[in-house]
Amino acid sequence: MSKSYYDPADLRKFGEITEWSEELGKKFFDYYGKVFEEGALSAREKSLIALAVSHVVKCPYCIDAYTKDGLQRGITKEEMMEAVHAGAAIESGATLVHGVQMMNKYKKLSM
Amino acid sequence: MSLKSLKAREDDLSSPQRQLELLSEGIFEEGELPTFKDKIAESGHFPLKPKKLEILQLNLGYMCNQVCSHCHVDAGPDRKEVMTKETMQQCLEVIKNTGAHTLDLTGGAPEMNPNFRWFVEEASKAGIKDFIARSNLTIILANKKYHDLPDFFKKHNVHVVSSLPFYKREKTDKQRGNGVFDKSIKALQLLNEVGYAQPGSDLKLDLVYNPSGAFLPTNQAAMENDFKKALKEDFNIDFNSLFAITNLPISRFLEYLIASENYEDYMYSLVDAYNPAAVENVMCTNTISISWDGWLYDCDFNQMLDLKVNSKVKHISEYNEDLLNDRNIIISQHCYGCTAGAGSSCQGSTI
């Protein structure tokens, strides 16, 4: 048993989750594969979205996977960093928009 | 990036034997990953046998004006191995009688062989259907004596296949050396000017893309679109096809993988991406590779690992196509590089 919560080598074992729940695991990976196929959005665009979301959900496995995926697709480091900022802007915006709630409550409680 | 070859640095990895040991130790020895032999046996492809011979690939020498960090040949200005005129003459005899439809000249920089032009003139008389020269592009601008290469290639209807790792300067220069991108662009423009890859012209110019790091190439067609769009918009360059080639874990690319601690992950990536359909068309089944000193190999990679063909016939001086076609192809773990994803060969994807 590893003494750290995250081991980079565990990403290779992701598929093993199917062993303990074959039906759900299979449905998930079929769905996952389908999502990232070329569609109305290109596979390249989806890779950048996945990279941004990986940062927002702070998944180290996903960041490794979609940085590599981006490199393979010829996505530049400037594009990758802009995607990360897009994710970060939404995440910080989601925090800051709660400021309105704070302001509302402040006003309500104040004379 | 080192400016010297592994050989000139007397690095351990300049020894083919040491490379083969590394490729069989660790994750493969401990059974963490299957050996290539076991993997292809699963789909009934062992022993790997040749199909019809289509391509004769001649390595005219390991001398090169560049020292690329991924080079599987360990080529560079300090490599003095070049094919002699005598060996070229033996090759010409074979070319006149071969059943292969493609002649593929590689190196090093094949143009640096002092008898390159004589050989191209002679070989072009043999009526080979597709006559390829693999050019690193910068050689055209490296010295005045090479400036007329585009016209020379045109005169002999040579199909030019050129390396350009990426359509942006940074990645290209990182892999191939500072200034390589600008020179490559200029050389491509010169080839276009004499008619290469122009509408209505038979002169073919293909580019080779190979990843600048420890990752695999993606879809060749998508990459070709990106390259075509960027090179046309930014530099008004045209080319015919893009070949996406996977870097094989040998020589200087192996050195890079080990030094950057990417070796195991890279081998996992190759094995995970193993595609039995790619084994069907792997290039060693339709190619014979001939070294600067006339030895015969299943491919250019086996040449660099000094794995000579498993046949009674091992040298150009005793070449016999029927005997050679009856051989078993020699394999090791580096072969996973040609069977990953959509497959990889000197002609790009194989499926």
Side-chain angles (χ1 to χ4, degrees), chain B residues 336-347:
Chain B
Y336 275 118
C338 292
T339 58
S344 178
S345 73
C346 289
Q347 271 69 37

Side-chain angles (χ1 to χ4, degrees), chain B residues 91-110:
Chain B
C91 291
L92 284 171
E93 286 310 305
V94 168
I95 292 161
K96 282 176 196 159
N97 300 305
T98 181
H101 55 61
T102 298
L103 180 63
D104 186 342
L105 305 184
T106 187

Side-chain angles (χ1 to χ4, degrees), chain B residues 134 208 220 242-246 342-351:
Chain B
R134 292 186 186 264
V208 169
Q220 181 169 276
L242 181 82
F243 302 155
I245 300 188
T246 303
S344 178
S345 73
C346 289
Q347 271 69 37
S349 297
T350 54
I351 56 172

Side-chain angles (χ1 to χ4, degrees), chain B residues 301-350:
Chain B
F301 302 109
N302 277 7
Q303 181 183 141
M304 301 315 149
L305 291 169
D306 198 25
L307 299 167
K308 295 183 178 75
V309 282
N310 179 13
S311 166
K312 274 185 200 162
V313 172
K314 289 191 192 296
H315 195 266
I316 191 79
S317 55
E318 51 192 10
Y319 188 90
N320 178 317
E321 222 148 271
D322 292 333
L323 279 177
L324 280 164
N325 257 18
D326 194 34
R327 75 194 191 276
N328 289 343
I329 291 164
I330 299 179
I331 53 168
S332 181
Q333 281 51 264
H334 63 291
C335 303
Y336 275 118
C338 292
T339 58
S344 178
S345 73
C346 289
Q347 271 69 37
S349 297
T350 54

